[in-house]
Amino acid sequence: MEVSMDETITLIRQESILLQRLLERDNLIQAINHAVKAISFLRSDDYKLNEYYEIYLLIQDRCFKPLSDYLIKGHTSNKFHLNDVYDTVQYVGNVLPRLYLLVVVGTCYASIDDAPTSEILKDLVEMCRGVQSSIRGMFLRQYLSDNILPFFIDSKYSGRVDQLTKCQLTLENFKEMNKLWIRLQYQGFLKERIQHVEDRIDIKIMVGSQLINIHRIIGDSNLQFYKEKVVPVVLQQIIQCNDVLSQNYLFDVFFQVFPVGYHLATLKSVLEATLHLHHEVSIHEIINLLINKVSSDNVDKIDSLEFVEVFSDYLYNLNQKDPQLSLLQFIPLLESVINLSVNEEKVIALDQFFELLSTKLKNKHTEYINEENETLAKFLILNRIPNVQNYKKFIVKVILESKWYRTLFTDQISGIQAFSVNVILQELLSCSKSEIPIKNKEELQVILSFFSPTIENYDSRHPILQENLVKLVHWILNSMKLKTVNDNIELISILKNWYSNINVDFIHISHLAIITKYWELVKKCKMIQNKYCKNESVKKQYGDSTRQVFKLISRAIQDLVYLNNEQIMTTSHNLCLETATLADSLSLGDISYDFFVQAIEMHEENKISSSQKYTAIVVLIQTLQRTNSLFVENKYNDLIFRCTTMASRLLKKKEQARAVYLCSHLWWTTKTVGMKIVQGEIVDGNTSSNDMAKSMRDRKRVLECLQRSLRVADSILDNITSYQLMIEILEICLFFINGTDGWDSPVPATYIDGLIKLINNNLKSLKLEESTNLKFTGESDEEPLEKEEFVATQDGRYTSFDASIPIDPNKMTRVPINHFTRINDYIKRLQSVDARFKSIKL
Amino acid sequence: MSIFFKAPIDIEILLDGEESRNHIEVSNPSGSNAKTLTESMPVFEDGETVSGIATLRVRDGKRVEHAGIKVSIVGSIDLIKGSGGSNGGTTTSNSFKSVDSRKKSVEQFLCLTYDLCPAGELQHSQSFPFNFKNLPKRHESYKGKNVDVSYYVKVTLIRKGADISKIKKFWVNLYLSQKEIENLNKKPVAIREEANKTREEITKPNAEEESLISNESKPVKLDIGIENCLHIEFEYAKSAYSLKDVIVGRIYFLLSRLKIKHMEVSLITRESAGVSSASTLVDSTAIRYEIMDGSPVKGETIPIRLFLSGYELTPNMGCNYFNVKNYLSLVIIDEDGRRYFKQSEITLYRQK
C-alpha cells in the first residue's frame, strides 16, 4: 500500500485533530489509539530519510506535545495517575508506537514531583531495545535522548538522578545508536548500499550528539569520573563496532567534544584503543585529529618529555601489534608524532623514532610498493614537520646527532637515498650563507659518511642530483668555520680525499672548489703574516703553512691532470698559472716557478689539445709577463725560452705568427704589468727591489721573434691574413718604440721601414684583387641582391644572409685597408710630437 | 417444546443481592440460539452461599396443578456433540441436559435438589426462597469452543405431561489460595517438545538444557535455535502467573542470520475437549504482542514486558473431560514472511 507523502501528512494531521478533540473530552484511551495510528506511519519502510524525518517532527509536534501537556495537567488535577497511564500504554500491541508513547508518558511521569524518576528513565532506555531496525531505532532513541536530557542537565531536576546513572543511560543510548547506525549500511539489498551510506552520513550527528550530551552532563571538571566511567565505555564501543565510518566519525567527535585536559589524562588508553581499529581506518588520521586537538590548546601545558614517551611507547606497541602495517599509515603517523614532540635544540630525542622505523623496515617480509617507498623517501627528507622553524639547521643537526637517522638512511636503496639527498641538498644549498658551522673533523666525517652512499652509487641519469652533489662541496667549504689554518688544511684534505676515494667523476669539480679554498687559505696566511710582521715565529709558522698549502695545490692539480681529460687539462693548466701568479704575488719565486714548469710541461707533453694550445700559450705568455719574482737564478729566462720555443712550434701558421710576436714582449719587460693581489685589493707591486730585479732587455731575442713572426706571416698563402698579421707586427714594433721606459727601442727604424714597404706592396696587389671583385659583383646587378638567399663569397662558397639587412657586397671581400690607414695616421701624428718616430718612412 | 404452547406459569428466579454482585459479560457463540450477543451473569466464588427467591406466577388466574416444585443447583461440563461424546454418551443419563443446545452435558459434577413445595395446586403467584449454603464449587466456569463449564439454578414445577422449569445461570471464579500459588511455582514446569513439530518450529539444540529447568521457583530459560541460522536464549521470570500479573523476560540473540522483520509474543489458550485419546484441541490466541521491530545482530537483548490484566484470559483448568492450558509462544517473522516459533507452557491462575 503506497501512500504518498502528502497523503501521509494529511492523515497524520487528521489523527492529531481527533486526538486533541478526544483529549478535550478527557477520553485518554481513545486519544492514545489515535496517537498509535499516527505513529504507525513511522513503522513504514517506504519513506525516504528526509520524509521520515518530516513525519517524525510532525508527529512530535502535533501528537506528542498536546498529549504531554494533557498528561501533566491531568495528573496534577488528579484526573488520573501517570503511573496507571504508564502501564496502560504498554498494552499497545505494536512495539514502535508503544515505545514512543512510553517515552511520552514516561518522561511526563518522571517530571512530576514524587515520581521514581531514575527508575522510569532506566526503564525507558531499556525498553527501547525492542526496536532493532536502524532508522526507526535511531529516531526513537533520538526522541528518547531529547526527552531525557533535561533530567540530566536541567537544574530543576538536580538530585533526581545520580551522576553515574545519567552517564550510564546516555552511554547506553550512545552504544545502541551506534549499533543501529552501523546496521543501516548492511541492511537491505546490495544496490541500496550506496544510498544507505549516504543516509548514514546524513544522520551521523544523532550518534555524535550522544557524546555531546555526555560532555554536557559531566562538564569540564570531572576528570576522575570521566577517566573511570566514560572513556572505557566510549572507547570500547568505538573499537568493538569495527566499522570504518563509525570509527572515523566517532573519534573525531570524541576528540572535539571533550576538553584537552581530559584527553591528556587518558592519552594512554586512547592511543591503546587506536591499535585495534578496523584495518581500513587510517590510524594516522585519527592520531592527527587527536594531535590537532591537543595542540590547538595551549601546548605549553603539555609536559613534552612525558608526551614524547607516551607516543613513542605507542608507536612501539603499534609496531609490535602489526609489524606489517603499511608505511603509508605508519610514516604519516610518525611524522605527526615527531612534529608534536620535536625540539629543534634537542634533536637527539628523535633518535628513538628513527630507531623504531629502522627496526620496522628491517623486519619487513614483503617488498614495499612504490607508494610506500615514495613516502619513505619523503619522510627521510624531514621537511614536512611544521613545527620546525629552521629546516636547514634542523636537518644538519639531525644528520650530525642522530645515529639512527643515519643508519636508517644508509639502509635504504639508492633510489630512495638519491631522491632524499637531492631534496635535502636543494634545501641546504638554497641559501649561500651556511648557518650551520662545521666545527671539527668528526662532524665533517659524519656529514661526509652521510652523503657517501649517494655519491658512490650515483647514477648519471639524475642531472639535478649531480649538480647538487657538486654544490655540496661548496656548501661544506662554506660551512667550515675553523680557527686555525692547520685545522682548515686538515679538513679540506679529508674532504678532498673523500671525493677522490668515493667517485672519480666528481673530482674535477670538487678539486676546483678545493683549490679555490686553498688559495683563500694562502691569502689568509699572508694576511696573518702581515698582521704579525714583527713576530718572527708566527711569520715562520705561516710561511711554512703557505708552502704546505702550495704543495697541496700542486697535488690537487696533479690529480686533475691524471684524469687525462682534454677539457680538464686546459683548466688544470690555467689553475697552474693562477697559482703561479698567486705565488709570484707573494714573492715566492721558487714556488711560482714550479707551477710555471708544471704548466709548460703540460704543453711539452702534448697534454693540451691542439685546438686549445694557442689560447693556452697566450695565457701562459700573459701570466709570465705579469710575474715579478722570477728574476733570480735564470728562472725567468728558462721559462720564457721554453715558452717561445713552444710558440714557434704551433702548427697553424697564423697562430704561430701571433704567438711568436707576443713572445717578443717576454724579452723586453715593462714595469707597468707587475701587480700584487692581496686580500682582493690590487696593490701596486713594483717595489724598487722588484724593479731592479726585473730587467729583461734582450734586443736580439725581440728582433728574432719579430723576424720569425714576419717570416711566418709572409709565408701564409692567404694574402689578407698575411697582410693582417704584418700590420699586427707593425703595431708591436710601434709599441716597442713607444713603451720602452727610456730605453732605446729594440726594433731599429730600418726594420720598420722595410715592414711598411712590405705591407704597401701587399696592399697594392690586394687592391688590384678587390677592383676585379667589384667588377664581378657589378655584373651581378641584373639580379637584385635583396632577393637572393645566397651570395657567393670570395672563396667561392655560398653563404646565406639575412635579406632584411642590406648587405654591402664589398664587406665580405674588403681588404682591411682602414686598419693600415689608421696606423699610418697614428705614425704621422706621433712623428709630429715624438722624435723617435721621425725616422720612420711612410 | 414450550415454544409452541404458551406455558401456563411464569417462573422467575432472583438471586439474593444479585444487583450488587460483580457481573461478567459472556459472549454467546454465534451458532447458539441465544437472543443477545452477550449475556451478563453474576459471579460467585467457591464456598459461597447461593440463595434467592423463586417466584411462580400463574397466568390469568388459572389454577395450575402440580406434583411438586423443586429447586436444584447444577454444575455441568458440556461437550459439543460428537466430540469425545461416545464415552460421555453412554455413561451419562438422558436427564443431563446442557444449557447450550449444541452441546450435551457429559458430567454434572454438582447437582443438589430439594423440594420447595409438595404436590398441590397453585392458584396465584407464589414465591419460594431457596438457599444452598456454603456451596462448594469444584470447577471454574468456562465457555469454550467445544466445552463449557456452566452453573445454574433450576426451578422445576413438576406436572403431568411436561414439567415447567426455569434456569438462572451464574458464573463461578475460583481463586487460588496463597499456599496453592506457592506450590504452583515450585512445580516442575513441563516443557516438552511437541510431538508434531512443524518444519519451522524452532528445535532445541541441546537436550541437556532441560535440566536447567529446575523445580525451584527459578526463571524459565530456554536455549533454542536452528543450526547455523538462529540461536536464541529466552528467559521468563517465572512459569506461573496470575491473571493480573506481568510477564517479564528477555530474549538474547546468540546468533542471527535471519533477516527478521519483527518478533512477537503471543499467549495461546489451548482447550482440549474429550477423553484423552479422542480429544479435540482448539487453540485460540488470547494476546498478540509485538516485542521487537527489525533485525538484531548477535549479542542483542530484547526485553519482554507483557501486562496480562488488560486481557480476558482463561486460567489453567482441567478434569477428566477437558483441560485448558496456556502457552507463551515466541514468533519470529522474517522478511520473506516465514514464521519461526517456539511455545512454552505457562500456568495462569486466578488470584484475589
Side-chain angles (χ1 to χ4, degrees):
Chain A
M1 190 189 70
E2 291 267 322
V3 182
S4 80
M5 192 57 194
D6 289 344
E7 283 175 64
T8 306
I9 289 177
T10 318
L11 289 171
I12 291 172
R13 290 209 169 121
Q14 283 169 3
E15 294 297 340
S16 71
I17 291 164
L18 289 171
L19 174 131
Q20 291 177 46
R21 275 188 202 151
L22 285 162
L23 289 179
E24 281 162 23
R25 286 184 224 141
D26 285 335
N27 192 340
L28 182 59
I29 300 295
Q30 285 302 314
I32 284 173
N33 280 341
H34 286 288
V36 170
K37 279 183 192 163
I39 302 167
S40 294
F41 286 100
L42 288 174
R43 296 178 69 206
S44 169
D45 281 325
D46 300 333
Y47 302 107
K48 290 196 203 91
L49 188 64
N50 55 340
E51 294 172 340
Y52 193 86
Y53 182 59
E54 203 180 321
I55 297 172
Y56 165 82
L57 289 181
L58 185 71
I59 294 174
Q60 267 193 50
D61 189 45
R62 295 299 185 97
C63 301
F64 296 162
K65 255 212 188 99
L67 188 57
S68 315
D69 294 347
Y70 174 81
L71 289 171
I72 299 277
K73 266 186 223 153
H75 180 85
T76 42
S77 58
N78 285 327
K79 279 182 195 162
F80 46 77
H81 195 283
L82 272 171
N83 194 14
D84 299 334
V85 185
Y86 191 68
D87 287 352
T88 307
V89 291
Q90 303 202 34
Y91 285 102
V92 175
N94 284 315
V95 64
L96 191 74
R98 178 167 75 238
L99 291 176
Y100 271 110
L101 287 169
L102 202 63
V103 176
V104 175
V105 179
T107 46
C108 288
Y109 184 22
S111 73
I112 62 173
D113 280 343
D114 50 353
T117 308
S118 191
E119 273 60 45
I120 295 168
L121 299 182
K122 276 184 198 164
D123 188 51
L124 292 177
V125 174
E126 168 72 12
M127 293 313 280
C128 281
R129 285 170 180 272
V131 180
Q132 293 288 333
S133 83
S134 41
I135 291 282
R136 298 195 280 276
M138 284 187 77
F139 277 87
L140 172 68
R141 284 190 176 272
Q142 182 64 41
Y143 183 69
L144 170 72
S145 102
D146 289 348
N147 282 281
I148 64 177
L149 186 64
F151 294 99
F152 298 160
I153 55 172
D154 199 329
S155 57
K156 189 163 72 173
Y157 301 110
S158 64
R160 293 260 196 118
V161 186
D162 64 76
Q163 183 87 334
L164 185 60
T165 310
K166 287 176 184 176
C167 271
Q168 278 171 345
L169 292 180
T170 315
L171 284 170
E172 170 83 16
N173 217 21
F174 161 71
K175 284 198 289 192
E176 293 299 322
M177 271 182 120
N178 187 36
K179 285 195 274 185
L180 294 168
W181 186 47
I182 293 163
R183 212 172 294 164
L184 174 57
Q185 190 169 339
Y186 301 100
Q187 68 183 21
F189 300 105
L190 210 57
K191 59 181 179 187
E192 293 169 354
R193 289 279 158 90
I194 297 168
Q195 181 59 43
H196 285 321
V197 173
E198 283 174 16
D199 286 352
R200 274 193 72 185
I201 292 166
D202 285 345
I203 56 173
K204 62 182 181 183
I205 186 65
M206 288 190 178
V207 188
S209 65
Q210 302 306 312
L211 289 176
I212 298 171
N213 289 349
I214 291 172
H215 177 232
R216 292 179 71 180
I217 292 165
I218 62 170
D220 283 351
S221 51
N222 222 337
L223 180 60
Q224 200 56 30
F225 186 83
Y226 170 80
K227 211 169 168 179
E228 285 168 12
K229 304 292 181 197
V230 178
V231 167
V233 182
V234 173
L235 289 179
Q236 194 195 27
Q237 175 58 28
I238 297 178
I239 294 313
Q240 274 181 356
C241 75
N242 203 28
D243 174 81
V244 181
L245 185 57
S246 186
Q247 291 184 340
N248 276 326
Y249 173 67
L250 290 180
F251 261 121
D252 192 8
V253 175
F254 175 66
F255 293 144
Q256 291 307 320
V257 161
F258 294 105
V260 172
Y262 281 14
H263 291 310
L264 288 178
T266 55
L267 198 56
K268 269 189 187 163
S269 35
V270 174
L271 290 177
E272 162 68 20
T274 62
L275 295 176
H276 307 288
L277 290 171
H278 189 280
H279 66 275
E280 282 175 32
V281 175
S282 136
I283 297 179
H284 79 267
E285 279 173 20
I286 302 279
I287 296 295
N288 258 344
L289 291 172
L290 173 63
I291 288 176
N292 287 344
K293 171 70 178 181
V294 169
S295 36
S296 70
D297 213 53
N298 197 349
V299 188
D300 299 334
K301 274 195 253 170
I302 307 165
D303 182 350
S304 68
L305 260 181
E306 193 188 339
F307 210 53
V308 171
E309 208 170 285
V310 172
F311 270 107
S312 66
D313 283 356
Y314 166 68
L315 289 174
Y316 181 77
N317 289 339
L318 178 66
N319 195 34
Q320 289 273 308
K321 184 216 147 209
D322 186 3
Q324 300 308 311
L325 183 70
S326 159
L327 289 183
L328 298 179
Q329 289 269 344
F330 192 77
I331 285 186
L333 191 57
L334 198 59
E335 282 178 332
S336 310
V337 175
I338 288 179
N339 183 41
L340 195 64
S341 55
V342 72
N343 179 341
E344 283 172 74
E345 298 307 315
K346 290 184 198 159
V347 294
I348 191 69
L350 302 177
D351 212 28
Q352 51 182 325
F353 297 123
F354 300 127
E355 181 181 359
L356 184 65
L357 183 60
S358 179
T359 321
K360 179 178 167 65
L361 294 178
K362 272 183 193 138
N363 294 336
K364 69 178 174 183
H365 297 306
T366 49
E367 280 302 308
Y368 286 123
I369 54 169
N370 279 344
E371 283 163 334
E372 286 181 296
N373 279 333
E374 203 183 314
T375 315
L376 180 59
K378 283 183 178 159
F379 168 74
L380 288 173
I381 300 165
L382 292 179
N383 62 351
R384 291 189 297 190
I385 303 167
N387 281 347
V388 170
Q389 305 290 330
N390 186 339
Y391 172 72
K392 278 174 234 168
K393 208 168 168 183
F394 172 70
I395 186 73
V396 174
K397 262 184 108 96
V398 170
I399 293 171
L400 286 177
E401 291 178 22
S402 170
K403 178 172 133 268
W404 279 105
Y405 177 72
R406 296 195 298 268
T407 312
L408 183 63
F409 207 93
T410 322
D411 290 343
Q412 303 316 313
I413 56 168
S414 58
I416 293 179
Q417 289 190 1
F419 177 85
S420 312
V421 162
N422 187 31
V423 183
I424 291 175
L425 284 175
Q426 200 99 38
E427 290 282 347
L428 288 180
L429 300 171
S430 64
C431 173
S432 58
K433 192 169 167 284
S434 173
E435 296 173 54
I436 306 297
I438 295 174
K439 292 188 290 292
N440 53 44
K441 196 165 94 181
E442 286 69 32
E443 289 188 353
L444 177 68
Q445 271 162 347
V446 168
I447 297 235
L448 292 180
S449 65
F450 177 74
F451 289 107
S452 291
T454 324
I455 295 191
E456 264 171 40
N457 306 317
Y458 167 68
D459 178 352
S460 58
R461 281 171 302 184
H462 201 325
I464 299 169
L465 175 60
Q466 185 189 24
E467 193 188 320
N468 286 331
L469 285 172
V470 166
K471 285 179 182 167
L472 174 66
V473 68
H474 294 279
W475 181 80
I476 291 175
L477 289 172
N478 279 334
S479 305
M480 292 202 298
K481 297 280 150 60
L482 301 167
K483 289 258 162 61
T484 73
V485 172
N486 282 337
D487 285 350
N488 269 308
I489 292 171
E490 190 183 4
L491 260 67
I492 297 171
S493 300
I494 291 170
L495 182 63
K496 186 178 130 223
N497 290 337
W498 179 71
Y499 268 107
S500 315
N501 293 336
I502 220 156
N503 192 334
V504 181
D505 292 344
F506 285 94
I507 289 185
H508 66 285
I509 299 150
S510 66
H511 278 39
L512 284 183
I514 287 167
I515 289 169
T516 319
K517 184 74 181 177
Y518 279 143
W519 290 344
E520 206 179 284
L521 279 181
V522 168
K523 289 170 192 166
K524 200 171 179 182
C525 287
K526 182 64 189 171
M527 265 170 62
I528 295 167
Q529 276 179 311
N530 284 347
K531 197 172 173 186
Y532 299 96
C533 53
K534 298 277 162 53
N535 188 333
E536 280 305 317
S537 69
V538 172
K539 262 181 111 170
K540 189 177 176 300
Q541 188 196 332
Y542 282 92
D544 290 349
S545 299
T546 311
R547 283 177 181 277
Q548 196 195 343
V549 175
F550 275 116
K551 280 178 194 163
L552 291 168
I553 296 174
S554 174
R555 271 287 308 284
I557 295 174
Q558 275 306 321
D559 287 347
L560 290 174
V561 171
Y562 287 141
L563 292 176
N564 218 355
N565 175 313
E566 282 183 8
Q567 281 180 329
I568 298 169
M569 208 59 81
T570 315
T571 317
S572 317
H573 172 264
N574 293 346
L575 285 173
C576 276
L577 296 179
E578 283 290 331
T579 317
T581 311
L582 179 66
D584 179 63
S585 72
L586 300 173
S587 306
L588 296 168
D590 48 344
I591 292 172
S592 181
Y593 175 77
D594 285 343
F595 279 99
F596 277 119
V597 169
Q598 207 171 345
I600 289 169
E601 275 169 358
M602 288 163 80
H603 285 279
E604 289 173 347
E605 287 161 19
N606 269 328
K607 282 183 173 160
I608 293 169
S609 72
S610 50
S611 63
Q612 302 287 322
K613 262 186 179 168
Y614 169 71
T615 328
I617 285 182
V618 172
V619 175
L620 176 61
I621 293 166
Q622 288 170 344
T623 317
L624 276 169
Q625 256 185 304
R626 284 204 300 264
T627 54
N628 285 312
S629 59
L630 293 168
F631 297 94
V632 281
E633 299 164 15
N634 266 343
K635 278 178 185 155
Y636 184 72
N637 270 14
D638 183 30
L639 290 174
I640 61 174
F641 184 79
R642 289 166 81 172
C643 179
T644 314
T645 315
M646 284 185 321
S648 62
R649 280 181 195 156
L650 283 171
L651 281 178
K652 282 186 183 168
K653 283 184 172 170
K654 190 170 141 189
E655 289 175 358
Q656 201 189 88
R658 280 191 177 132
V660 173
Y661 73 61
L662 285 175
C663 281
S664 67
H665 287 297
L666 294 175
W667 300 93
W668 196 266
T669 50
T670 47
K671 65 173 180 181
T672 49
V673 289
M675 279 183 282
K676 275 190 176 179
I677 302 163
V678 172
Q679 206 197 347
E681 284 176 59
I682 300 172
V683 181
D684 195 2
N686 53 345
T687 55
S688 58
S689 62
N690 273 346
D691 203 26
M692 290 310 291
K694 190 177 171 177
S695 53
M696 176 54 74
R697 305 273 189 248
D698 193 330
R699 289 164 196 280
K700 197 177 143 231
R701 289 288 184 198
V702 173
L703 266 181
E704 262 178 29
C705 287
L706 292 176
Q707 194 55 34
R708 165 92 191 224
S709 179
L710 184 60
R711 239 191 349 260
V712 175
D714 198 35
S715 69
I716 291 173
L717 289 175
D718 175 3
N719 48 13
I720 291 182
T721 312
S722 176
Y723 161 79
Q724 179 73 51
L725 283 169
M726 284 176 193
I727 293 173
E728 286 172 25
I729 294 165
L730 177 62
E731 285 177 328
I732 300 283
C733 293
L734 293 175
F735 169 80
F736 278 118
I737 296 174
N738 202 12
T740 48
D741 307 332
W743 293 71
D744 284 345
S745 166
V747 190
T750 49
Y751 183 85
I752 297 173
D753 292 345
L755 187 54
I756 292 172
K757 209 174 271 175
L758 189 60
I759 292 169
N760 276 326
N761 285 342
N762 272 323
L763 190 61
K764 261 177 211 162
S765 61
L766 281 170
K767 276 180 175 165
L768 204 67
E769 262 180 61
E770 192 173 53
S771 58
T772 50
N773 275 336
L774 280 170
K775 247 179 217 164
F776 167 75
T777 50
E779 282 165 4
S780 67
D781 275 351
E782 292 163 17
E783 289 176 61
L785 271 168
E786 284 77 7
K787 288 183 180 175
E788 282 184 24
E789 289 187 10
F790 296 93
V791 289
T793 60
Q794 192 186 6
D795 54 357
R797 283 177 300 165
Y798 281 94
T799 303
S800 66
F801 70 96
D802 190 345
S804 64
I805 304 166
I807 288 178
D808 178 3
N810 289 339
K811 228 180 195 172
M812 280 170 282
T813 56
R814 176 175 294 170
V815 180
I817 304 167
N818 289 346
H819 192 176
F820 183 55
T821 322
R822 279 201 304 274
I823 289 175
N824 276 346
D825 292 346
Y826 175 68
I827 295 171
K828 279 176 192 156
R829 252 187 295 142
L830 282 177
Q831 278 175 336
S832 63
V833 293
D834 195 332
R836 286 175 299 176
F837 289 89
K838 290 212 169 129
S839 55
I840 298 169
K841 295 192 180 84
L842 289 168
Chain B
M1 295 157 253
S2 55
I3 297 166
F4 302 105
F5 308 96
K6 218 167 192 181
I9 196 160
D10 256 357
I11 305 174
E12 190 190 39
I13 306 169
L14 265 178
L15 298 177
D16 290 343
E18 190 180 339
E19 300 300 312
S20 58
R21 231 168 228 291
N22 276 340
H23 278 67
I24 187 169
E25 294 289 323
V26 180
S27 60
N28 285 315
S30 55
S32 73
N33 50 3
K35 293 161 196 98
T36 52
L37 278 175
T38 57
E39 203 176 343
S40 186
M41 295 182 213
V43 180
F44 286 82
E45 287 177 35
D46 185 26
E48 222 179 330
T49 300
V50 180
S51 60
I53 296 167
T55 308
L56 290 82
R57 288 195 190 85
V58 183
R59 221 177 273 272
D60 304 333
K62 277 183 188 169
R63 291 176 174 199
V64 178
E65 207 176 306
H66 63 85
I69 299 167
K70 60 178 182 179
V71 61
S72 20
I73 188 157
V74 178
S76 140
I77 298 170
D78 308 335
L79 281 181
I80 198 159
K81 285 163 188 162
S83 66
S86 58
N87 195 10
T90 51
T91 51
T92 54
S93 72
N94 276 335
S95 63
F96 288 0
K97 280 189 181 152
S98 149
V99 284
D100 186 340
S101 58
R102 297 177 306 132
K103 291 173 182 146
K104 60 182 179 193
S105 178
V106 288
E107 186 189 341
Q108 287 193 341
F109 54 87
L110 171 72
C111 187
L112 296 172
T113 307
Y114 68 88
D115 290 338
L116 289 173
C117 166
E121 196 182 57
L122 271 179
Q123 289 164 346
H124 51 86
S125 296
Q126 204 175 339
S127 292
F128 305 95
F130 59 89
N131 188 345
F132 299 96
K133 202 169 183 188
N134 297 341
L135 187 73
K137 306 174 188 73
R138 247 164 69 199
H139 296 296
E140 164 123 0
S141 291
Y142 175 67
K143 196 163 182 78
K145 195 91 177 161
N146 289 326
V147 61
D148 291 341
V149 175
S150 45
Y151 284 90
Y152 52 88
V153 175
K154 184 175 184 179
V155 175
T156 313
L157 179 113
I158 304 162
R159 276 203 315 174
K160 275 182 218 142
D163 294 346
I164 296 168
S165 66
K166 171 84 179 182
I167 60 170
K168 169 81 179 176
K169 291 190 213 168
F170 63 95
W171 196 263
V172 172
N173 279 345
L174 298 184
Y175 295 94
L176 258 57
S177 69
Q178 201 56 42
K179 203 175 172 195
E180 283 171 310
I181 292 165
E182 277 165 22
N183 286 336
L184 199 57
N185 271 325
K186 278 180 187 166
K187 206 169 73 177
V189 185
I191 299 166
R192 288 189 305 275
E193 293 307 296
E194 304 301 312
N196 49 348
K197 253 180 270 176
T198 58
R199 192 174 58 84
E200 282 96 350
E201 182 162 14
I202 300 158
T203 57
K204 204 174 78 173
N206 301 322
E208 66 233 76
E209 290 296 327
E210 194 132 16
S211 63
L212 273 178
I213 302 138
S214 77
N215 45 7
E216 290 299 307
S217 157
K218 272 186 179 171
V220 181
K221 263 191 187 169
L222 269 180
D223 183 19
I224 54 174
I226 303 166
E227 203 172 346
N228 289 329
C229 184
L230 183 73
H231 186 183
I232 59 176
E233 201 177 84
F234 65 81
E235 186 180 319
Y236 302 117
K238 51 188 178 174
S239 61
Y241 299 89
S242 89
L243 294 179
K244 284 177 181 153
D245 227 334
V246 185
I247 296 178
V248 176
R250 61 171 45 136
I251 312 234
Y252 184 65
F253 282 81
L254 296 158
L255 171 76
S256 171
R257 296 215 173 110
L258 294 176
K259 287 188 168 176
I260 298 172
K261 201 167 188 317
H262 63 271
M263 177 164 72
E264 324 176 320
V265 166
S266 43
L267 194 131
I268 293 166
T269 305
R270 177 169 296 166
E271 169 194 301
S272 161
V275 184
S276 56
S277 60
S279 58
T280 312
L281 293 177
V282 176
D283 284 356
S284 53
T285 305
I287 305 175
R288 273 180 76 170
Y289 195 69
E290 189 186 35
I291 56 164
M292 186 186 79
D293 173 25
S295 193
V297 292
K298 190 175 107 173
E300 297 292 355
T301 307
I302 310 300
I304 303 172
R305 184 159 67 210
L306 177 55
F307 284 79
L308 297 177
S309 61
Y311 301 94
E312 296 209 354
L313 300 174
T314 313
N316 285 31
M317 59 181 82
C319 67
N320 288 339
Y321 296 99
F322 82 102
N323 58 51
V324 173
K325 286 179 175 173
N326 285 295
Y327 295 88
L328 259 188
S329 174
L330 183 75
V331 187
I332 293 174
I333 295 110
D334 74 7
E335 287 185 350
D336 300 323
R338 282 190 288 265
R339 296 167 69 86
Y340 305 83
F341 67 94
K342 174 70 194 173
Q343 294 181 346
S344 50
E345 189 180 343
I346 57 166
T347 309
L348 294 182
Y349 56 86
R350 202 181 290 281
Q351 188 184 9
K352 276 256 164 167

